[in-house]
Amino acid sequence: MRALPVIKNAFLLVEGERILDFGKMEDAPTDIEQEIDATGKFVFPSWCDSHTHLVFAKSRESEFEDRINGLTYAEISAKGGGILNSAKKLGEITEDELLIHARARLYEIAKFGTGCVEIKSGYGLTVESELKILRVIKRLKAESRLGIKATFLGAHSYPMEFRENKRGYIDLVINEMLPRVAEENLADYIDAFCEKGFFSPADTEEIIQAGKKYGLKAKIHTNQFNCMGGIQMSVANNAVSVDHLEVLNDAEMECLLDSDTMPTLLPSAPFFLNDHYPPARKMIDKGLPVALASDYNPGTTPSGKIPFVLSLACIKMKMTPQEAINAATINGAYAMEMNHDFGSIEKGKYASFFITKNIPSVAYLPYAFGSDLIETIVLKGEVFDK
Ligand code: NIG
Ligand code: FE
């Protein structure tokens, strides 16, 4: 993770949507149609944000104020705030309205340098509302120049009417929602919030195995607040990624070492909740890869700004700038199985990259945490109008 290959004084040749070639400037072709001069600048592959919930109806800044006034995230959820608050608001708007909000957020993250993103459902919690979110993601996939993967997260929380009947809700997810999601081909992955008070490792395993029958691989929310076996269970079920990991013990790290499951860290969430950060340094020193993602959502991370995630990774988790950049590009692409198309500057991959303003070094990017250092954005071969 520490090695970030850089070519000084280089060219990058694009044809159509793809990278045709790159290398040292003296080897650059001369017969080109359109040229962008990047003298004094850096060219980065677009960020690959492998964990977001950016299809939501409304912001939740009143809970932000509640927390400032002393309530915890768990207390806010228990009184019907949190995910249920978002689900209520989502139930009140149409698919077209939801698309308008989500499209604006996609545009916003593209301006921050993201070129490939995973988006989850999970703010519906009814058959129709979950489908509504996933249909919006499908429409975004069709219209956007960003790479997009969709994840079905029906098991995000229990609606109020199922608080005393958790079995009933899991059955609804598996027997009612999942077949409809599969029938309309709305999801690439399945997720569940494996956490105390939400879905146990056994519940989550049942949901993963139900998803597998429809060809959906797992990406799992686990170890945000408690270690309870979610990692071991996810690895045993060949999950593509396990996400959050604010708490992670040695046995769980060992288990991940023997796996193809990508540990995915979301440091904006503990930043916003004023909680502690995942043990990234220890993980990497033990030989694990990590991916960094935003977790863009209205409750715990109202931000999809990957450059800020990189700064948090360096400042709060002691990752080097090079490690952080690898984590938010190629490892993020791997965590949504988009590594053949995104995540690095390689021949044949999509020409999705950004050119910085004049900056002195790679490390300047996470160092200057408040600056917008992106000057030009290219998405699948086309200049994106900021
Ligand atoms: O990834 N942890 C669960 N879900 C989201 C946030 C949920 C919310 O409060 O809206 C997360 O942090
Ligand atoms: Fe999340």
Side-chain angles (χ1 to χ4, degrees):
M1 285 195 64
R2 194 160 285 196
L4 181 71
V6 178
I7 305 176
K8 280 190 183 165
N9 196 22
F11 77 92
L12 172 62
L13 182 66
V14 173
E15 188 180 64
E17 295 192 324
R18 303 266 173 184
I19 295 170
L20 191 63
D21 203 3
F22 66 92
K24 287 196 164 297
M25 202 57 189
E26 60 252 35
D27 302 323
T30 46
D31 54 334
I32 41 172
E33 250 169 56
Q34 188 197 346
E35 194 179 311
I36 303 174
D37 183 4
T39 306
K41 299 161 188 180
F42 282 80
V43 181
F44 282 89
S46 296
W47 309 126
C48 294
D49 188 350
S50 63
H51 182 136
T52 79
H53 310 244
L54 65 74
V55 181
F56 57 88
K58 285 219 170 76
S59 58
R60 299 201 327 241
E61 65 278 11
S62 65
E63 294 174 14
F64 173 67
E65 292 187 88
D66 288 343
R67 275 200 308 281
I68 294 168
N69 291 323
L71 288 184
T72 65
Y73 181 71
E75 285 163 348
I76 293 167
S77 299
K79 66 175 182 116
I83 296 166
L84 296 192
N85 181 1
S86 283
K88 182 170 176 288
K89 287 169 175 161
L90 193 132
E92 291 162 359
I93 70 170
T94 66
E95 184 184 313
D96 286 347
E97 288 169 316
L98 193 57
L99 176 68
I100 290 168
H101 295 310
R103 184 188 283 137
R105 290 184 203 112
L106 206 57
Y107 176 76
E108 182 196 22
I109 65 168
K111 285 199 293 184
F112 297 144
T114 297
C116 186
V117 63
E118 180 258 17
I119 312 173
K120 298 171 195 298
S121 69
Y123 287 125
L125 310 183
T126 64
V127 177
E128 279 317 312
S129 289
E130 283 296 307
L131 292 173
K132 194 197 287 183
I133 302 172
L134 291 167
R135 288 178 187 136
V136 165
I137 303 172
K138 192 172 187 173
R139 287 167 73 180
L140 292 173
K141 274 189 188 185
E143 69 175 39
S144 175
R145 299 194 75 78
L146 279 85
I148 299 177
K149 284 278 177 100
T151 300
F152 169 53
L153 174 56
H156 197 191
S157 186
Y158 297 92
M160 263 315 172
E161 60 274 28
F162 286 98
R163 280 273 151 115
E164 303 306 321
N165 176 20
K166 295 190 168 176
R167 183 68 248 167
Y169 186 66
I170 296 169
D171 287 340
L172 185 78
V173 169
I174 293 177
N175 301 326
E176 309 290 331
M177 294 182 186
L178 194 50
R180 298 281 301 277
V181 169
E183 191 183 291
E184 285 187 45
N185 198 12
L186 292 173
D188 303 294
Y189 299 107
I190 190 157
D191 190 355
F193 188 19
C194 184
E195 188 55 61
K196 245 185 211 150
F198 291 85
F199 297 84
S200 69
D203 298 335
T204 305
E205 184 164 43
E206 200 182 334
I207 291 161
I208 292 177
Q209 291 186 353
K212 204 178 276 174
K213 292 197 186 117
Y214 293 97
L216 304 183
K217 292 190 197 171
K219 285 169 69 64
I220 299 297
H221 278 78
T222 189
N223 290 52
Q224 184 174 7
F225 305 115
N226 297 283
C227 299
M228 35 186 252
I231 300 276
Q232 289 85 343
M233 181 280 301
S234 299
V235 167
N237 284 281
N238 300 313
V240 172
S241 69
V242 282
D243 303 37
H244 269 292
L245 320 187
E246 279 88 327
V247 293
L248 190 69
N249 63 35
D250 286 346
E252 291 163 331
M253 285 191 218
E254 288 302 324
C255 169
L256 282 165
L257 264 178
D258 289 330
S259 80
D260 291 326
T261 302
M262 180 61 79
T264 298
L265 313 182
L266 317 164
S268 295
F271 169 76
F272 188 76
L273 296 176
N274 216 2
D275 208 342
H276 62 271
Y277 290 83
R281 187 69 266 147
K282 192 169 170 189
M283 293 167 76
I284 297 170
D285 290 345
K286 270 188 180 270
L288 280 172
V290 305
L292 286 167
S294 72
D295 199 16
Y296 194 0
N297 77 73
T300 67
T301 320
S303 163
K305 191 170 188 172
I306 292 290
F308 183 62
V309 173
L310 295 195
S311 298
L312 287 176
C314 296
I315 298 161
K316 299 292 188 182
M317 306 199 294
K318 301 223 175 329
M319 287 173 68
T320 67
Q322 290 75 13
E323 287 168 341
I325 290 162
N326 282 323
T329 53
I330 190 66
N331 288 3
Y334 182 88
M336 48 184 158
E337 297 180 300
M338 287 289 228
N339 45 304
H340 52 288
D341 272 337
F342 291 93
S344 60
I345 292 175
E346 262 180 77
K347 286 184 204 177
K349 286 196 179 183
Y350 280 123
S352 293
F353 57 86
F354 61 84
I355 306 172
T356 64
K357 296 177 181 165
N358 272 296
I359 60 171
S361 67
V362 161
Y364 191 82
L365 206 66
Y367 155 85
F369 71 90
S371 306
D372 171 15
L373 298 170
I374 297 178
E375 189 167 82
T376 307
I377 293 165
V378 175
L379 295 174
K380 292 187 178 169
E382 250 181 38
V383 176
F384 170 80
D385 183 8
K386 287 222 279 174

